[in-house]
Amino acid sequence: MEYQNKEVDALVQKITGLHAAISKLPSLSPCPDVDALFTDLVTACVPASPVDVTKLGPEAQQMREGLIRLCSEAEGKLEAHYSDMLAAFDNPLDHLGMFPYYSNYINLSKLEYELLVRYVPGGIAPARVAFIGSGPLPFSSFVLAAHHLPDTVFDNYDLCGAANERASKLFRADTDVGARMSFHTADVADLAGELGAYDVVFLAALVGMAAEEKAKVIAHLGAHMADGAALVVRSAHGARGFLYPIVDPEDIGRGGFEVLAVCHPDDDVVNSVIIARKSNDDVQADGLQHGRGQHGRRAVPVVSPPCRFGEMVADVTHKREDFAKAEVSF
């Protein structure tokens, strides 16, 4: 226990130092200094750690919340930068590998699809999917549409009109995936009847960055999604909670869903994944009548893929070099 406390203290001290350095940057737009600091941050947060970021003291919590917002801003600027770069090609989809972390999206989307197939009763063959928080580089929707769900229509929602405009340009030359991909500028809080049309809804990690914001979004989805529809929520675990918000499965249950599986990858897939299904009114009423939450009926399976951190560190280093070269050429 004492060793764990020292390990946690050392990690928090390191993350605090990185937060201070990132906070002093004049801009979070892509450049070698920004890339180097965020690479160091990711490398520090990815290994397995005994830290429970939800139990840190007030000062560390305040630092973590500020860091997540900085990560969100930097991620948005990085994606916008590469979206513009890709849009310069005649067929942008032929060059997606230029993005330094494209393989991470491939692996994350594959993991999410496999979890849906494995844990949603009857499997999935969705006619329509919504992705909330798609951003200027909708890689997740593209990978799912191109490789896993070839007959599915994708509606991508984002608060930022400029992000949607950038995203739509990437599909202008594609007659297959492009024909099944649409982009809508909207706040999830303003979506109601539309949500009932989807068989699966994906909730991006940075939609609702504080715990109470995330819980509110999930409750809104639970109020408007169709009974039996699947919800895929991206979360974080351990030290990765310094990079992304952590979603409590209990909040998903309270939002009107049955949690089917929780996955905490320990490889280059940074986000955790929670698979849930919208409960029908009868099931919810039965649970409340008998004093049970959504987790009272059965244990939720937790799945952790094998660790490949050594490969991930080498890959990040390689991508860091590639990123610097891309910046010079751009």
mmCIF file of all heavy atoms in Angstrom, residues 9 22-23 47 78 80 88 101 131 134 138 188 193 195 214 221 225 236 238 257 287 307 315 318 321:
data_model
loop_
_atom_site.group_PDB
_atom_site.id
_atom_site.type_symbol
_atom_site.label_atom_id
_atom_site.label_comp_id
_atom_site.label_asym_id
_atom_site.label_seq_id
_atom_site.Cartn_x
_atom_site.Cartn_y
_atom_site.Cartn_z
ATOM 1 N N ASP A 9 1.566 9.218 -5.905
ATOM 2 C CA ASP A 9 2.052 10.581 -5.653
ATOM 3 C C ASP A 9 3.022 11.027 -6.741
ATOM 4 O O ASP A 9 2.968 12.174 -7.201
ATOM 5 C CB ASP A 9 2.733 10.654 -4.289
ATOM 6 C CG ASP A 9 1.752 10.532 -3.128
ATOM 7 O OD1 ASP A 9 0.537 10.715 -3.368
ATOM 8 O OD2 ASP A 9 2.197 10.262 -2.000
ATOM 9 N N ILE A 22 1.874 22.667 -20.215
ATOM 10 C CA ILE A 22 0.893 22.810 -21.295
ATOM 11 C C ILE A 22 0.121 24.118 -21.128
ATOM 12 O O ILE A 22 -0.177 24.811 -22.106
ATOM 13 C CB ILE A 22 -0.054 21.592 -21.311
ATOM 14 C CG1 ILE A 22 0.711 20.336 -21.736
ATOM 15 C CG2 ILE A 22 -1.240 21.831 -22.248
ATOM 16 C CD1 ILE A 22 -0.064 19.050 -21.561
ATOM 17 N N SER A 23 -0.193 24.469 -19.888
ATOM 18 C CA SER A 23 -0.951 25.698 -19.625
ATOM 19 C C SER A 23 -0.199 26.946 -20.061
ATOM 20 O O SER A 23 -0.810 27.974 -20.358
ATOM 21 C CB SER A 23 -1.294 25.791 -18.135
ATOM 22 O OG SER A 23 -2.080 24.700 -17.712
ATOM 23 N N PRO A 47 0.229 3.519 -19.091
ATOM 24 C CA PRO A 47 0.526 2.281 -18.349
ATOM 25 C C PRO A 47 -0.452 2.044 -17.203
ATOM 26 O O PRO A 47 -1.030 2.986 -16.658
ATOM 27 C CB PRO A 47 1.942 2.533 -17.805
ATOM 28 C CG PRO A 47 2.514 3.593 -18.674
ATOM 29 C CD PRO A 47 1.359 4.464 -19.065
ATOM 30 N N LEU A 78 -5.825 19.708 -33.440
ATOM 31 C CA LEU A 78 -5.073 18.705 -34.205
ATOM 32 C C LEU A 78 -5.933 18.100 -35.308
ATOM 33 O O LEU A 78 -5.498 17.957 -36.455
ATOM 34 C CB LEU A 78 -4.574 17.610 -33.254
ATOM 35 C CG LEU A 78 -3.786 16.472 -33.909
ATOM 36 C CD1 LEU A 78 -2.439 16.976 -34.418
ATOM 37 C CD2 LEU A 78 -3.580 15.327 -32.910
ATOM 38 N N ALA A 80 -8.655 19.391 -36.697
ATOM 39 C CA ALA A 80 -8.968 20.396 -37.709
ATOM 40 C C ALA A 80 -7.790 20.583 -38.661
ATOM 41 O O ALA A 80 -7.963 20.709 -39.882
ATOM 42 C CB ALA A 80 -9.326 21.723 -37.035
ATOM 43 N N ALA A 88 -7.199 18.587 -49.051
ATOM 44 C CA ALA A 88 -6.481 19.083 -50.228
ATOM 45 C C ALA A 88 -6.294 17.998 -51.290
ATOM 46 O O ALA A 88 -6.000 18.313 -52.444
ATOM 47 C CB ALA A 88 -5.114 19.638 -49.807
ATOM 48 N N TYR A 101 -2.550 9.186 -35.375
ATOM 49 C CA TYR A 101 -3.213 8.232 -34.488
ATOM 50 C C TYR A 101 -4.379 7.514 -35.174
ATOM 51 O O TYR A 101 -5.285 7.032 -34.498
ATOM 52 C CB TYR A 101 -3.687 8.956 -33.218
ATOM 53 C CG TYR A 101 -2.568 9.711 -32.552
ATOM 54 C CD1 TYR A 101 -2.505 11.103 -32.636
ATOM 55 C CD2 TYR A 101 -1.551 9.041 -31.884
ATOM 56 C CE1 TYR A 101 -1.452 11.808 -32.052
ATOM 57 C CE2 TYR A 101 -0.498 9.731 -31.302
ATOM 58 C CZ TYR A 101 -0.455 11.110 -31.394
ATOM 59 O OH TYR A 101 0.595 11.795 -30.819
ATOM 60 N N PHE A 131 -23.673 9.151 -34.232
ATOM 61 C CA PHE A 131 -22.429 9.376 -33.501
ATOM 62 C C PHE A 131 -22.477 10.803 -32.965
ATOM 63 O O PHE A 131 -22.487 11.764 -33.738
ATOM 64 C CB PHE A 131 -21.202 9.177 -34.398
ATOM 65 C CG PHE A 131 -19.926 9.032 -33.613
ATOM 66 C CD1 PHE A 131 -19.388 7.778 -33.370
ATOM 67 C CD2 PHE A 131 -19.287 10.138 -33.074
ATOM 68 C CE1 PHE A 131 -18.222 7.636 -32.620
ATOM 69 C CE2 PHE A 131 -18.137 10.017 -32.318
ATOM 70 C CZ PHE A 131 -17.600 8.760 -32.092
ATOM 71 N N SER A 134 -18.877 13.982 -33.307
ATOM 72 C CA SER A 134 -18.066 13.369 -34.363
ATOM 73 C C SER A 134 -16.830 14.170 -34.735
ATOM 74 O O SER A 134 -15.828 13.605 -35.181
ATOM 75 C CB SER A 134 -18.924 13.140 -35.604
ATOM 76 O OG SER A 134 -19.643 14.306 -35.950
ATOM 77 N N PRO A 138 -14.142 12.442 -38.578
ATOM 78 C CA PRO A 138 -15.040 11.384 -38.084
ATOM 79 C C PRO A 138 -14.526 9.984 -38.407
ATOM 80 O O PRO A 138 -15.175 9.194 -39.087
ATOM 81 C CB PRO A 138 -16.345 11.685 -38.833
ATOM 82 C CG PRO A 138 -15.887 12.277 -40.128
ATOM 83 C CD PRO A 138 -14.661 13.086 -39.803
ATOM 84 N N VAL A 188 -26.655 17.861 -28.353
ATOM 85 C CA VAL A 188 -27.396 16.642 -28.048
ATOM 86 C C VAL A 188 -28.623 16.947 -27.191
ATOM 87 O O VAL A 188 -29.657 16.260 -27.293
ATOM 88 C CB VAL A 188 -26.479 15.609 -27.348
ATOM 89 C CG1 VAL A 188 -25.965 16.136 -26.023
ATOM 90 C CG2 VAL A 188 -27.195 14.277 -27.165
ATOM 91 N N GLY A 193 -36.963 13.562 -30.771
ATOM 92 C CA GLY A 193 -37.557 12.530 -31.601
ATOM 93 C C GLY A 193 -36.563 11.857 -32.523
ATOM 94 O O GLY A 193 -36.700 10.664 -32.839
ATOM 95 N N LEU A 195 -33.644 10.852 -31.917
ATOM 96 C CA LEU A 195 -32.902 9.781 -31.251
ATOM 97 C C LEU A 195 -33.642 8.451 -31.283
ATOM 98 O O LEU A 195 -33.020 7.391 -31.198
ATOM 99 C CB LEU A 195 -32.604 10.181 -29.805
ATOM 100 C CG LEU A 195 -31.643 11.368 -29.648
ATOM 101 C CD1 LEU A 195 -31.595 11.821 -28.191
ATOM 102 C CD2 LEU A 195 -30.247 10.996 -30.133
ATOM 103 N N LYS A 214 -21.871 14.682 -18.109
ATOM 104 C CA LYS A 214 -21.982 13.393 -18.799
ATOM 105 C C LYS A 214 -23.254 12.663 -18.367
ATOM 106 O O LYS A 214 -23.978 12.113 -19.202
ATOM 107 C CB LYS A 214 -20.757 12.541 -18.501
ATOM 108 C CG LYS A 214 -20.683 11.257 -19.304
ATOM 109 C CD LYS A 214 -20.204 11.488 -20.714
ATOM 110 C CE LYS A 214 -18.726 11.798 -20.753
ATOM 111 N NZ LYS A 214 -18.208 11.839 -22.146
ATOM 112 N N LEU A 221 -30.352 10.946 -23.386
ATOM 113 C CA LEU A 221 -30.405 9.864 -24.376
ATOM 114 C C LEU A 221 -31.385 8.783 -23.917
ATOM 115 O O LEU A 221 -32.159 8.252 -24.719
ATOM 116 C CB LEU A 221 -29.010 9.271 -24.574
ATOM 117 C CG LEU A 221 -27.960 10.183 -25.208
ATOM 118 C CD1 LEU A 221 -26.592 9.511 -25.201
ATOM 119 C CD2 LEU A 221 -28.357 10.552 -26.635
ATOM 120 N N MET A 225 -34.111 7.685 -26.631
ATOM 121 C CA MET A 225 -33.747 6.559 -27.497
ATOM 122 C C MET A 225 -34.824 5.486 -27.474
ATOM 123 O O MET A 225 -35.606 5.382 -26.521
ATOM 124 C CB MET A 225 -32.399 5.965 -27.062
ATOM 125 C CG MET A 225 -31.193 6.802 -27.459
ATOM 126 S SD MET A 225 -29.618 6.202 -26.776
ATOM 127 C CE MET A 225 -29.575 4.507 -27.441
ATOM 128 N N ALA A 236 -12.867 6.258 -19.507
ATOM 129 C CA ALA A 236 -11.439 6.117 -19.231
ATOM 130 C C ALA A 236 -11.285 5.356 -17.925
ATOM 131 O O ALA A 236 -12.236 5.216 -17.150
ATOM 132 C CB ALA A 236 -10.757 7.478 -19.157
ATOM 133 N N GLY A 238 -8.228 4.307 -14.695
ATOM 134 C CA GLY A 238 -6.907 4.502 -14.126
ATOM 135 C C GLY A 238 -6.350 5.878 -14.457
ATOM 136 O O GLY A 238 -7.063 6.886 -14.480
ATOM 137 N N PHE A 257 -30.660 2.768 -18.786
ATOM 138 C CA PHE A 257 -30.014 1.739 -19.585
ATOM 139 C C PHE A 257 -29.615 0.534 -18.736
ATOM 140 O O PHE A 257 -29.380 0.662 -17.534
ATOM 141 C CB PHE A 257 -28.755 2.297 -20.257
ATOM 142 C CG PHE A 257 -29.018 3.379 -21.257
ATOM 143 C CD1 PHE A 257 -29.057 4.711 -20.854
ATOM 144 C CD2 PHE A 257 -29.240 3.084 -22.588
ATOM 145 C CE1 PHE A 257 -29.305 5.726 -21.772
ATOM 146 C CE2 PHE A 257 -29.493 4.086 -23.512
ATOM 147 C CZ PHE A 257 -29.524 5.419 -23.106
ATOM 148 N N GLY A 287 -37.487 -2.864 -11.839
ATOM 149 C CA GLY A 287 -36.289 -2.640 -11.053
ATOM 150 C C GLY A 287 -36.534 -1.669 -9.919
ATOM 151 O O GLY A 287 -36.083 -1.874 -8.795
ATOM 152 N N CYS A 307 -2.139 -6.632 -22.689
ATOM 153 C CA CYS A 307 -1.353 -5.389 -22.721
ATOM 154 C C CYS A 307 -0.336 -5.427 -23.846
ATOM 155 O O CYS A 307 0.364 -6.417 -24.022
ATOM 156 C CB CYS A 307 -0.643 -5.190 -21.383
ATOM 157 S SG CYS A 307 0.389 -3.715 -21.330
ATOM 158 N N ASP A 315 5.385 2.889 -31.035
ATOM 159 C CA ASP A 315 4.530 3.454 -32.066
ATOM 160 C C ASP A 315 4.362 4.953 -31.876
ATOM 161 O O ASP A 315 4.398 5.726 -32.827
ATOM 162 C CB ASP A 315 3.158 2.761 -32.031
ATOM 163 C CG ASP A 315 2.330 3.050 -33.260
ATOM 164 O OD1 ASP A 315 2.914 3.106 -34.354
ATOM 165 O OD2 ASP A 315 1.114 3.217 -33.121
ATOM 166 N N HIS A 318 7.472 6.741 -32.998
ATOM 167 C CA HIS A 318 7.518 6.783 -34.464
ATOM 168 C C HIS A 318 6.547 7.833 -34.995
ATOM 169 O O HIS A 318 6.876 8.612 -35.893
ATOM 170 C CB HIS A 318 7.179 5.408 -35.029
ATOM 171 C CG HIS A 318 7.155 5.360 -36.524
ATOM 172 N ND1 HIS A 318 8.293 5.478 -37.289
ATOM 173 C CD2 HIS A 318 6.125 5.219 -37.399
ATOM 174 C CE1 HIS A 318 7.970 5.405 -38.568
ATOM 175 N NE2 HIS A 318 6.662 5.252 -38.660
ATOM 176 N N GLU A 321 7.779 11.380 -34.650
ATOM 177 C CA GLU A 321 8.712 11.765 -35.701
ATOM 178 C C GLU A 321 7.969 12.067 -36.996
ATOM 179 O O GLU A 321 8.266 13.044 -37.692
ATOM 180 C CB GLU A 321 9.730 10.643 -35.917
ATOM 181 C CG GLU A 321 10.632 10.408 -34.701
ATOM 182 C CD GLU A 321 11.467 9.162 -34.836
ATOM 183 O OE1 GLU A 321 11.257 8.415 -35.827
ATOM 184 O OE2 GLU A 321 12.325 8.912 -33.962
#
